[in-house]
Amino acid sequence: MPTAAGSSRRERVAPRRKMLGERLIEAGLISADQLDLGLREQKRTGERIGEILVNLGFVAQEQISAVLASQAGVAFVPLDNYLIEPAALQTIPEAMARRHKMIPILLEPPRLTVALANVFDVLAIDEVQRVTGYVVDAVSSTESGILAAIDQYYSGGISIEEVVQKSIRQVEAGRLSEADLAAGAPIIRLVDQIFLSAVQEAATDIHMEPEERVFRIRFRVDGKLRMGPSLPKTLQPAVTARVKILSSMNIAETRQPQDGKINFYVGKRKIDLRVSTLPTVHGENLVLRVLDKSRLVIGMESLGFDEATLARLRKAIESRNGIVTVCGPTGSGKTTTLYSALSYINSLDRSIITLEDPVEYELPVIRQCQINVKAGLTFATGLRSILRHDPDVILVGEMRDAETVELAVRAALTGHLVFSTLHTNDAAGAIPRLINMGQEPFLVASALRAVVGQALIRINCPACRVEYKPSAEIIARAGLPPESIHGTFLRGKGCDQCGQTGFRGRVGVYELLEVTPEISRHVMRRANSRELLETAMAEGMTTMRQDGVAKAMRGLTTLEEVVQLT
């Protein structure tokens, strides 16, 4: 019978840490025979088992790093699609980074995140904490990825101007071809800094525009284009090729439009870029749509609806069937409104399927489908297939043709709740648009529940806003009788925080047209949008202009901004 002392000694024995080979087998990355071959090779060469397995082609370095990270209880971060902010880079000198095979990737004082090839190197982590004064969070990455990132971020100039000058010298010397230049560190760094600038300025689009003598970069911030760097014409081919390589496009094809996408990280934020090229007389024009998931605001209360309109919208989206459509120009936040509506009604007892082009943000529980026209998956064919999957709620990203509209109406009339968008300027214009796309008025009147019209207006910069008095002309154009004016009008005078624009951020202005019995009668007799608007206003609808004026009276925006955009 074992003694108490013997039992105590057994309890104090620490469990054996599993070797790398064992963990690779458990993860299903290699077989026992492959490990045995690797161990025999290790006895012959004395190299590390991980290097041997990679050299034999049994496993990739990224997979080994991921297993080691899991063993250490840290995250694995691939650096090939990660943009490092300059503030983090400045915390550790290049010599230290190369000595320990590490690179700082994120600074959030008092914490500094550092990627290491060997996350078990506690001496290196202690040295970083002592030198920087920050608490170090270690993450794992591949040695090759870290060394490549050190070469990319520490070498050469720090500013865009220095990168440009270095690239120009290489072009003029004729040492590099266009493809080689696009894959070189200066151009890689230049494109990365353009992407990073766009994210830091909260841009929604990056425009790369070829001119006769320059290659101009502009960012769309708060709906307005803002100048970025103007690059020499000699760098246009290399920058264009670099973006096309990142977005998996054919760099040899310059005569046809192409589409692609790029994914990368800035800190903990995942950024998606939707890239589109268009041939012009001076070269390929590129527009990159920036989708920053960390900036997505989902929630009916967060969008800017007034209480009465919000209550009516909730009633509409809680319907068991029918169509709820959102209208507005491109970039007016229609997708965000639909995502908020889906999130509001999302539950485990409902089947929700979406058809989107593109899938901008992923939502839990909801099944989201990406349109692929080349493969034959259009809105119409996708909607036809979705109806066989017994959904309760369907989101169709856009009703852009007669077939899609017909299928959406049919789905609404057979017990499904359908969300979608239309490109019209206001809510009242959606109904004639549906009829003009081939739907009978009685079907539109029966299927349609509500139409949301919306636009985005810029918000006054909170750091520099001051009181002001709008001109009599603007007050008249806003439709404000003098006796109705109340509150304090504010506008931003311009500061460093808002780029001297006076505005920082945007908010929606909304109108909601419910298909009431009176509206239905107008639809049946094909009334025009003006008649529909007048009837809806008589029934209590607040227009986008009225919603915007109310926000201006609260000092949220300027009256001029409301008049211009509504």
Side-chain angles (χ1 to χ4, degrees):
M1 184 174 179
T3 64
S7 175
S8 177
R9 282 194 298 271
R10 282 197 299 271
E11 288 176 359
R12 287 197 299 268
V13 175
R16 182 180 68 87
R17 194 176 75 181
K18 292 183 179 179
M19 304 300 289
L20 175 61
E22 294 175 290
R23 289 186 173 274
L24 292 173
I25 291 176
E26 288 181 355
L29 298 175
I30 62 172
S31 65
D33 291 339
Q34 289 173 327
L35 176 59
D36 184 58
L37 178 60
L39 292 173
R40 279 185 278 148
E41 183 69 12
Q42 184 183 38
K43 290 180 180 179
R44 188 180 67 83
T45 64
E47 295 180 348
R48 290 183 297 180
I49 185 64
E51 294 177 355
I52 293 172
L53 294 174
V54 171
N55 293 334
L56 290 173
F58 294 158
V59 67
Q61 181 63 56
E62 290 79 4
Q63 293 172 314
I64 289 181
S65 297
V67 168
L68 289 173
S70 175
Q71 182 178 353
V74 301
F76 173 73
V77 176
L79 294 178
D80 53 353
N81 64 339
Y82 198 103
L83 291 188
I84 299 174
E85 298 183 9
L89 206 65
Q90 293 170 6
T91 60
I92 297 178
E94 180 180 355
M96 181 189 295
R98 289 190 183 277
R99 185 170 70 253
H100 294 300
K101 295 183 176 60
M102 64 166 61
I103 189 166
I105 62 173
L106 176 63
L107 177 61
E108 294 178 326
R111 310 194 76 84
L112 174 67
T113 302
V114 178
L116 297 98
N118 179 12
V119 291
F120 297 104
D121 190 348
V122 294
L123 295 178
I125 295 173
D126 288 343
E127 183 178 353
V128 173
Q129 291 187 151
R130 185 176 66 254
V131 170
T132 64
Y134 294 118
V135 177
V136 172
D137 293 327
V139 298
S140 175
S141 193
T142 64
E143 180 177 322
S144 60
I146 289 173
L147 293 176
I150 291 173
D151 290 338
Q152 175 183 343
Y153 286 98
Y154 279 106
S155 63
I158 298 300
S159 67
I160 287 182
E161 290 74 15
E162 291 173 316
V163 175
V164 167
Q165 291 303 318
K166 185 173 182 178
S167 301
I168 290 175
R169 288 194 295 270
Q170 291 178 326
V171 172
E172 291 175 345
R175 295 196 301 268
L176 295 174
S177 66
E178 176 185 314
D180 291 337
L181 183 60
I187 292 297
I188 290 175
R189 183 166 186 146
L190 173 60
V191 173
D192 284 354
Q193 286 195 354
I194 292 172
F195 291 172
L196 185 59
S197 296
V199 173
Q200 290 174 336
E201 293 188 25
T204 57
D205 300 272
I206 306 171
H207 291 248
M208 298 184 172
E209 303 166 327
E211 298 290 345
E212 184 177 359
R213 295 184 177 85
V214 299
F215 188 46
R216 185 174 60 237
I217 310 296
R218 294 197 290 176
F219 304 122
R220 187 175 294 278
V221 181
D222 294 336
K224 301 290 184 180
L225 285 173
R226 183 180 300 178
M227 283 300 300
S230 290
L231 307 180
K233 187 72 173 178
T234 52
L235 296 186
Q236 177 183 322
V239 172
T240 300
R242 175 61 183 168
V243 174
K244 292 173 73 173
I245 289 170
L246 288 173
S247 50
S248 302
M249 295 183 187
N250 181 3
I251 63 172
E253 178 57 72
T254 60
R255 298 171 297 175
Q256 296 288 335
Q258 296 187 66
D259 294 304
K261 62 181 180 179
I262 303 170
N263 302 315
F264 61 91
Y265 286 85
V266 175
K268 298 177 182 178
R269 299 154 61 187
K270 182 179 180 181
I271 311 295
D272 294 339
L273 299 180
R274 307 293 176 172
V275 187
S276 178
T277 69
L278 181 69
T280 70
V281 293
H282 296 301
E284 289 182 280
N285 189 84
L286 294 89
V287 176
L288 297 80
R289 182 77 182 274
V290 183
L291 302 175
D292 185 351
K293 298 186 177 183
S294 68
R295 294 179 59 84
L296 177 66
V297 178
I298 291 183
M300 305 296 291
E301 299 82 3
S302 305
L303 298 181
F305 285 96
D306 65 67
E307 292 184 5
T309 303
L310 181 58
R312 292 160 60 207
L313 178 58
R314 282 175 173 164
K315 176 183 175 183
I317 65 178
E318 288 170 353
S319 303
R320 302 306 300 179
N321 56 66
I323 296 175
V324 177
T325 185
V326 182
C327 302
T330 301
S332 60
K334 299 186 295 294
T335 301
T336 301
T337 300
L338 288 178
Y339 279 170
S340 297
L342 284 182
S343 298
Y344 179 72
I345 64 172
N346 190 16
S347 63
L348 292 176
D349 61 356
R350 275 188 169 182
S351 172
I352 302 176
I353 306 179
T354 74
L355 277 173
E356 303 173 64
D357 186 22
V359 176
E360 297 188 6
Y361 302 100
E362 296 177 9
L363 301 173
V365 182
I366 297 170
R367 285 157 293 167
Q368 298 173 266
C369 304
Q370 168 73 53
I371 293 300
N372 188 339
V373 177
K374 292 181 180 179
L377 179 57
T378 64
F379 282 115
T381 57
L383 184 52
R384 191 179 290 110
S385 298
I386 280 177
L387 292 174
R388 304 190 191 106
H389 285 252
D390 188 31
D392 298 302
V393 182
I394 302 169
L395 184 148
V396 182
E398 183 182 348
M399 293 189 290
R400 60 177 63 164
D401 56 64
E403 185 179 5
T404 305
V405 173
E406 180 182 356
L407 289 168
V409 169
R410 185 187 306 169
L413 294 175
T414 53
H416 302 86
L417 180 60
V418 180
F419 294 136
S420 191
T421 68
L422 273 175
H423 282 287
T424 60
N425 291 326
D426 57 16
I431 294 174
R433 172 75 173 143
L434 291 173
I435 295 174
N436 290 339
M437 292 175 75
Q439 292 305 298
E440 293 293 336
F442 73 91
L443 291 176
V444 174
S446 300
L448 198 61
R449 289 287 174 270
V451 183
V452 178
Q454 69 179 72
L456 291 178
I457 59 174
R458 293 179 294 173
I459 301 173
N460 289 325
C461 175
C464 64
R465 59 187 180 185
V466 294
E467 291 187 25
Y468 85 109
K469 183 177 181 180
S471 66
E473 179 188 357
I474 289 295
I475 291 175
R477 289 176 60 188
L480 283 175
E483 64 274 8
S484 69
I485 297 177
H486 59 85
T488 301
F489 289 103
L490 301 176
R491 67 178 173 192
K493 61 181 181 180
C495 65
D496 291 339
Q497 293 188 28
C498 61
Q500 306 301 326
T501 64
F503 296 97
R504 191 176 173 193
R506 290 189 292 176
V507 70
V509 290
Y510 303 94
E511 61 187 21
L512 177 65
L513 188 153
E514 294 178 283
V515 182
T516 62
E518 185 62 26
I519 293 291
S520 294
R521 282 191 284 272
H522 283 296
V523 174
M524 296 286 284
R525 63 178 185 82
R526 297 177 183 266
N528 60 38
S529 59
R530 184 65 192 175
E531 293 176 286
L532 293 168
L533 176 61
E534 291 174 351
T535 302
M537 290 178 65
E539 292 184 336
M541 183 183 84
T542 301
T543 66
M544 284 187 282
R545 169 67 63 82
Q546 292 170 337
D547 187 28
V549 168
K551 288 180 168 67
M553 286 184 176
R554 298 200 304 270
L556 194 60
T557 186
T558 66
L559 204 56
E560 289 82 356
E561 179 79 1
V562 173
V563 170
Q564 179 184 356
L565 295 178
T566 61

